[in-house]
Amino acid sequence: MKNILEVKDLCKTYIVNKRQNNVLRDLSFTVGEGEMIGVMGPSGSGKSTLLYTVSGMDKMTAGEVSFCGKKMNGLSENDLAEMRLDEMGFIFQQMYMMKNLSVLDNIILPAVKSRRNTLSRKEIVERGRVLMKKLGITEIADNDINEVSGGQLQRACICRSMINKPATIFADEPTGALNRSSSNEVMDELERLNSEGTTIMLVTHDVKVAARCSRVIFIVDGNIKGEYNNKREDTLRQRERDLNNWLLEMGW
Amino acid sequence: MFLRILKKDLKRKKTMNCILLIFVLISAMFAASSVNNIVAVTNGIDYYFEKAGMTDLFIISSEPEGQLIGDMLAEKSSVKSFRREEIIRPSGGELTANGNNMSAELAFVGIMAADSGKLHYFDQDNVEITDCQSGKIYVTPGFSNTIDGGVKIGDKINFSYGDVTLDLEVCGFVKDPFLGAEMMSNYRFLLSHDDYEKLRTAKGVDSADLCGVYYVETEDIEGVSSDVVSAGSVLFCQPQRIVRLSYILYTLVAGILLIASVGLLIVSFMVMSFAINFTIAEDMHEIGVMKALGLRNSSIRWLYLVKYLCISLVGAAIGFAASLPFSRLLLKSVSQNMVLGNDNSFLFGALSSAAVVLLTLAFCWHFTRKIKTLSPIDAVRSGQTGERFHKKSLISLNKSHMNSTLFMALNDIFSSPKQFTLLTAVFAICAVIIMVLANAANTLKSDKLLFLVGTTKSDVYISGTSSLFDSDEELEQFLEEKGIPAKVHSEGLYNLPVVAGDKRIGLMFQYCSKTHASDYVYEEGSAPQHSSEVALSFIAAEELDVGIGDKVTITINGQDQQFMVTALIQSFCQLGESGRLHESVDMTGASLSSIMGWQIDFTDSPDKEEFQRRFDLMTEYFGEDSVFDAEGFVDDTIRSADTVNSVKSLLLAVVLFIVLLICVLMEHSFISREKQEIALMKALGFRTSQIAAQHTLRFAIVGAASAILAAALCLPLTKLAIDPVFGMMGATKGVSYKLEPLEVFIVYPAIIIAAVAVGALITSLSIKKIKASDTSGNE
């Protein structure tokens, strides 16, 4: 399996009131193409920082990150932006959307902006509508983002993250702000995308969410404490139980 | 607890609080300086005149043979007192200042001994001038303004008069309350007693140059002036109100400054109201949390009132302090010629700043009223109730083919129409201020006002050289010898007493025997067609309480003659107190006050090139400051265009500064509010330059809309603002304005749009600091 993401000795440090805070310390791991990786850890362990750093949204202090074979260290801001636009998709916990655009407009925005995308506006809109239909939110296309439920909005975010057919989706607590039923819907969608070949790296504190991943990385104090491979052949319930036991062993 | 909340708020939201502070500061500065202008100028004339010892009536008479007028005044019982000043009004001689030949200006000069003044004359530090050293000279600032580069203290003036030559050094500038206003087009030189005596006794000079200036205290102004004018040899006889009106230019300038200040004040208040509304809207989430916790609405509102009180007190204090030098800068052109009384302006300025504080609190109270109507959860959702009754935006990305940056910019504008409409209005007001002044200045030096000056349109005008030729025919002959076939005529100005019923006034009549009365412009009625018909100005007719068809009695050369009023005119002549006589009226023996320069009409219809050659030849011979086309003649006569242009240039700088400041502050506010969205856009893959372009573009669109709005409104607003100003000068029925399309519709709008775009662009570059990972939106 080809590695889509390779992280070597990654460090991220913040200076707060002249004090150095080492959030990530010499992290090394890989993500294979088509994998669904969950990142777990206690609050303040550096999960979200890891996600933002490997996706190029934040600068690393030291280390090496390669995405699709390209070293991200040497890339300019514009190159990183282009990479995020064309090759990555993002899903945030808070379902950030542009408040002046309708749901459909939000979904198609990355495709309209992408220079690599040669589709016409009509074709982009059509792709957006297809994605919305797949995720069962066709009826909210022209709605304001304040007029839809959290679950619908998060599914719209998934549509947006997929509009440019990225190689990888990064999700930061995608179900964090949702109820159980909406969480299940969202995770069903992400699993389906993964089964279609999209690599997914998500941060979560929810064992039920992590149990759906093929592999779980457990981070404590900026270091990888352990990695766990979920047994796909087991039922979801069994996987949750096994993962829970493993996490307890890790000190969760 | 509230104090803690307040401290945290002021610390945490530094950017928005600073923006608010600056807007309050600007508002306070403009409020205080505007009121200061009003107080200083409107009270200033009264204060100045009282300080100078000005009287009810002013007379200048040519008295080569003694004090005729003085004797007459002494005998009149209605004259309470009078004072006589002696001046020399040179009809010839040579004058150079810093090497510049200023001989042409001698016609407007009154020379006096500094120790013989019967009014109080002041220097630029408002210290009274009571004497002058030998070899030194005080001049009025108006004289300095006629010279390229002006004169400074220490510069040399050489004056040859008869057999006397004086080399004088400028030791200061005199504020002459009687003749010092530039509109009087007269200059005063103050010399030492000895130097004056040398000139007084010079040989080979016209005895009529010696004049008496009488300052008369009387309640019967009309009676005295009518009798005095009848006596003859009177060059000038006007009540104080006319002299006061000569300062109208400064009042005009101040009035224009006031209009501009009011405009800028409106701008600053509009922007301040936006800033307050904006900051409160931003805090809705926190207000919601406070409501959810159980705090009462009044407590929450009080919290904000205290916050805005603190900010506005600081802003108003700094703004008031800044208003003092700003006010001085704006009044500089006025205080050059007047002693301005400003004892109370400090108090008024402080009161204005206090009013700004109250207004800030009023805005705060008004914009927090929404707290009462929103439920806690609606407030937590930043005022969003989830319901919508109309479309959010006019455009959709999925239905549009626009470039995405343009779309995003337009979409932002359509999604917040109130906000961007306010910005458009603000920039439009700023643009209109400059356009109105430009229209006024352009009109003041165009031939559109020729009819108000009371002359016909001629090919060339020569002014200030009346002493060179004794008659029109002499000039015609001179021109013929130079190969310029032309007819020459000149408008004579006669100060004549007019009686209608029990009303008596002195009017300045324009008369020319070589033109036809029908050649001039009449607003109502028809041109006089006989020698017994006359046209009066609206102001004169109102004062005499006569209309078309009524009869008036005019005394010409001691003889009372009846005239029928056939027409009403507008005129700047003597600020509207004037009339026109038919060309067939016999003016032999009547005392000519002055002529309005020679008017030359070529008889052979030369082509453009030949026209220019002749013009250049005359300029070479008579001097650049004496030869004009119609527009130049109007400018030279009214002498206001340059001042208005200076005010316009100053205000352009002020307006551009304000526009830039507003753009910077607004864009900072927007970036602060949209930080999360900007971070999201970066996370999605937008480049900093693309986001900056969107932000700049929305301001540029607003700038363009405001420029279009200003261009559409500039002419009606010019009429609204400037017609009353021209009305004060005598044009009571309004004028037709000269519009320079390139300047007004292209240059100034382009400048405003450029300033807006530059301000937004520079500020939007701070987007660089926002990272894609800043989606949490913490400051």
Side-chain angles (χ1 to χ4, degrees), chain B residues 698-767:
Chain B
R698 53 188 192 191
F699 270 90
I701 292 169
V702 162
S706 66
I708 292 169
L709 182 63
L713 293 176
C714 91
L715 199 49
L717 286 178
T718 302
K719 281 199 84 61
L720 190 69
I722 307 296
D723 266 359
V725 170
F726 280 155
M728 284 198 283
M729 293 165 72
T732 49
K733 299 293 174 190
V735 301
S736 170
Y737 289 90
K738 172 98 188 270
L739 222 60
E740 291 285 352
L742 181 66
E743 183 188 359
V744 173
F745 295 129
I746 307 286
V747 171
Y748 292 130
I751 289 173
I752 296 289
I753 294 171
V756 167
V758 163
L761 177 65
I762 291 170
T763 316
S764 68
L765 295 177
S766 66
I767 283 169

Side-chain angles (χ1 to χ4, degrees), chain A residues 83-168:
Chain A
M83 184 183 274
R84 285 198 299 277
L85 191 63
D86 296 325
E87 297 174 59
M88 299 176 185
F90 290 92
I91 305 168
F92 299 97
Q93 178 182 9
Q94 293 302 329
M95 300 154 280
Y96 298 121
M97 286 254 179
M98 306 293 289
K99 66 177 185 341
N100 287 342
L101 298 177
S102 65
V103 173
L104 177 57
D105 285 349
N106 265 289
I107 289 168
I108 66 174
L109 183 62
V112 168
K113 209 65 189 170
S114 170
R115 289 185 204 190
R116 203 174 67 172
N117 204 330
T118 53
L119 297 176
S120 68
R121 190 66 61 92
K122 202 175 167 186
E123 285 165 336
I124 291 171
V125 172
E126 190 47 42
R127 183 191 279 183
R129 289 195 188 278
V130 163
L131 281 169
M132 288 182 85
K133 192 174 177 187
K134 260 190 186 169
L135 268 74
I137 51 168
T138 320
E139 71 280 8
I140 63 167
D142 293 325
N143 281 32
D144 219 37
I145 60 170
N146 294 311
E147 297 162 358
V148 301
S149 70
Q152 287 174 319
L153 205 58
Q154 195 63 299
R155 274 181 279 167
C157 286
I158 295 172
C159 292
R160 181 180 65 189
S161 71
M162 289 303 300
I163 193 74
N164 281 336
K165 295 189 179 170
T168 307

Side-chain angles (χ1 to χ4, degrees), chain B residues 165-237:
Chain B
T165 299
L166 293 175
D167 286 314
L168 303 161
E169 183 185 303
V170 176
C171 62
F173 297 96
V174 54
K175 294 183 183 182
D176 176 355
F178 173 33
L179 298 172
E182 282 200 45
M183 216 168 182
M184 291 296 252
S185 298
N186 274 264
Y187 318 120
R188 182 94 66 162
F189 288 176
L190 298 186
L191 305 181
S192 69
H193 185 86
D194 292 339
D195 287 337
Y196 178 76
E197 281 302 313
K198 282 181 196 166
L199 292 177
R200 194 177 185 280
T201 53
K203 292 188 174 52
V205 295
D206 192 339
S207 58
D209 288 357
L210 201 64
C211 297
V213 182
Y214 296 87
Y215 303 106
V216 184
E217 294 283 4
T218 177
E219 280 175 12
D220 182 20
I221 291 170
E222 288 84 15
V224 172
S225 49
S226 172
D227 291 342
V228 159
V229 167
S230 307
S233 306
V234 169
L235 304 171
F236 182 94
C237 178

